[in-house]
Structures are given as structure tokens and as C-alpha cells.
Amino acid sequence: MSFRTPDPLHRLMLDDVRGAQKMLSGVARTTAMEGSRHLSSLVGAPVHLKCENLQRTGSFKLRGAYVRIAGLRPEERAAGVVAASAGNHAQGVALASRLLGVHATVFMPVGAPLPKVAATREYGADVRMHGHVVDETLAAAERYARETGAVFIHPFDHPDIIVGQGTVGLEILEQCPEVRTILVGVGGGGLAAGIGLAVKSVRPDVKVIGVQAEGAAAYPPSLAAGHPVVVESPVTMADGIKVGRPGDVPFALVREYVDEIVTVSEDALSSALLLCLERAKLVVEPAGASPVAALLSDPKAFRGPVVAVLSGGNVDPLLLQRILRHGMAAGGRYLSLRLRVTDRPGALATLLAVLTVADANVLDVSHVRTDPRLGLTEAEVELHLETKGPEHCREVADALRDAGYTVLD
């Protein structure tokens, strides 16, 4: 489904993105473009990863924040800036403010990951913890701006933010001039709008495709309605794109310059994060892995060469641990099953010997002997195993059946 319409002013706005690129020289890194053999084999065409997870502060957010704050008038800079964020935008505003000599106050929700809070403070911002959801934090930041005169720096709903993010698109065209499809995660829409504007203004033949999590997909209904609509209580592990309503400014540009919006499941997100870690040796947060999730979900849907934008790498270690477990389960790397065995000495050891031969790693064993559903000489064993993938799961189950065990599930 296409949402593009002609824009007679696109050349002027492209000049804005080029101006932002000059402004960011020496500030934001030109991040690496890495090829992925595994994804290329799935897609049947070259796939490249644009590694904004290796950007300063760990995400693309520095680009827009710096351009926005650098554009403030002297009296506005003197009043300071304020932002609300659970992580990436907070760090981008904090570093940009420090580089420009502007005082920054950043409101973060009480449950924000400690590493992100610590990094924001280390970049020099005055961090204030408020609210348990981002909406409450945002309201506190806006109230602070009204009371103090500080300039509120929105994470995506401002032209300067968008042209700053659009510099990612210019870099993609420079690094991969043969690109035919660009995949980019979408929350409020600032990054997708900026990339779409920059890329389509130079190369209208390149498809720009936005990716949203199924549980936080505000753009499809908004585009269908012709205006931003609210998705109540968005739910996804990808907090970087967990936005309930598109921004007014990026929405207009996404509708014009982004060819399609696709959605991905939580299983696909966790599998994509695991793939980035194992195959590409890159730590990527769930939002940053969303373009890879789209490739895994429907690899033949995209014309190559493809560039997938890894928008950020700021993932809390505890969340990463949970996501990796989820990703391994989604990828068939865990097997859970129940067996009936004879209740006699050595029965468990015999069972474990079968699993050893099948090369399955036992993570957990639960041995039940007193359930009234069991026969007098029976016991039930619940196993949690680490395997090498779906085919190995089938091989393990078959080995148990061949050894005479009744596999219940």
C-alpha cells in the first residue's frame, strides 16, 4: 500500500537535510554499513545493516537533538532545554546540550533502566525521575517548560528533529548507492520521515518501508484515517517505537515519502535481536532490530539490495537476558516436554543418558511422583532442554520415543 503524493517543496527541504549534515560534521559519526551474508541468503539479494546502534549515545537521536538545539536563539539557549524520555532521546539531548553549552533537564520515568539514567547524567543533564509511564513524564516536562521558560525538545514532532534524522538517509545513499529498499523502525515517525524525505528527494525509485511492532502500530490506522489517531495502551518489548500516536509533522512526511508500513510480532523482534547478536556480533535493542524482524518475517517481500537501519543499541542487560531467552524459544532453541517413566531407582539417569546421546542440554528437570493421575509404578518428568533448532527438537523427541518413553507434550 502506497502513501506517497507529489511534493513541490521537496527540494527546499532536501537542502535543509544537507545543511543538517554539514552541521553534524564532527559531531555525529558516519556510522558503519555492514553486510549480512545470512540475511542476504534469506532475501536472495544483498542486505546491509546501517549501524546507528554504534552512533554516539547508542542511537540516531543525537542527530536530531543537536540540530534542534543548535537552531535555538541565544535567549532560548540561555533558558535551557527540557526533554522527556525513557532512554535514547534523553541521552541525545544530554550530549547535544553539553556540546553546545546549554543546560539540559531531562525527565525520565521511575522505571527507566538504570544504565540509561546513569548515561544521561554522565552526559551532563539534570535528571529528574517522574511518573511511571512516559505520558506522565512528558506532562511533567511540558509543565516544567511552562514554569521555567526552558525550551521543550520533542523527540520527533519538530522539523529540525526530522531533518537531523534525515542525515541517516543521505549517508545510506552515499554508502550504498545501489540500494533499492530501506527498512526503518517507526514509533512517532521522525526517523522514517527524515529518511523518506532525504532518500525520495534524490532517488524516488528507492522504496522506504516503515516497520512497527504489532502491539504498538499507530501508523496503519492513522494513514487509513488520513490523520494521526491514538492507539490506546500500546504494548511491545520495543520501547523505542512504543508510541501511541504519530507526530503531526512526521505523519505528513511519512504519508508522502514512505511507501509502506509493515508490522512485526514480538517473536520476530526477539529472534531478530538474537540474530544480530549471534550472526552480526552487534548489540541492538528491540526497536533497532525491527527492520531485521521484517526481513525474517517475509524475506522475499523486499527488492534488493536492502538496507536495514539498526536505529539503536541501548538495551538494559536484564531486558536483554529476557529477550534472548524469548528469542531462543521463538527460534526453536528450547524444548519443553513431559514424559511418563517407570518409578524405580536409576530411571532418571537412564532418561538423561538418552538425552546425552541426542546432544540436548538439560536446563531444568522436575520429577513428580505423587500426582493422583499417575499409576502406582509411574512418575512424571518435566524437562526444559536447550537445542540447536527446530529440526534438533524433532530429533530429540523422536529419540525419546524410540527409547520407549511416552512423550505427553
Side-chain angles (χ1 to χ4, degrees), residues 8-209:
L9 299 178
H10 73 274
R11 294 187 184 278
L12 174 62
M13 296 191 72
L14 174 62
D15 288 341
D16 292 336
V17 180
R18 287 176 171 155
Q21 188 175 42
K22 291 178 182 178
M23 182 184 296
L24 289 168
S25 177
V27 176
R29 295 174 182 144
T30 299
T31 50
M33 182 84 74
E34 298 288 344
S36 171
R37 285 181 294 180
H38 179 70
L39 290 172
S40 297
S41 66
L42 289 178
V43 173
V47 175
H48 305 279
L49 306 176
K50 176 59 172 169
C51 300
E52 281 295 292
N53 59 310
L54 303 180
Q55 183 57 262
R56 296 177 71 178
T57 75
S59 87
F60 70 96
K61 290 288 190 176
L62 172 65
R63 297 172 183 265
Y66 188 91
V67 173
R68 173 77 173 99
I69 297 169
L72 297 178
R73 299 187 303 272
E75 62 271 23
E76 291 175 318
R77 291 197 190 192
V81 299
V82 60
S85 168
N88 289 347
H89 181 58
Q91 293 173 71
V93 168
L95 178 56
S97 298
R98 190 183 76 186
L99 294 173
L100 291 164
V102 176
H103 180 265
T105 301
V106 176
F107 285 78
M108 303 184 77
V110 172
L114 293 179
K116 294 184 179 181
V117 175
T120 304
R121 285 195 172 113
E122 288 171 8
Y123 286 128
D126 174 16
V127 176
R128 304 190 181 192
M129 311 303 294
H130 185 93
H132 293 278
V133 296
V134 174
D135 285 344
E136 295 173 355
T137 309
L138 182 64
E142 292 174 331
R143 183 167 57 251
Y144 178 89
R146 291 193 298 269
E147 293 172 352
T148 67
V151 179
F152 179 67
I153 307 299
H154 199 283
F156 50 81
D157 205 11
H158 192 280
D160 289 349
I161 295 287
I162 292 170
V163 298
Q165 321 305 26
T167 59
V168 176
L170 294 183
E171 288 180 17
I172 290 172
L173 295 180
E174 292 164 2
Q175 294 171 308
C176 186
E178 68 277 16
V179 63
R180 289 294 178 270
T181 303
I182 298 173
L183 291 167
V184 54
V186 179
L191 179 61
I195 289 176
L197 164 64
V199 170
K200 290 288 191 178
S201 298
V202 179
R203 289 277 307 281
D205 60 302
V206 176
K207 277 203 165 187
V208 179
I209 298 177

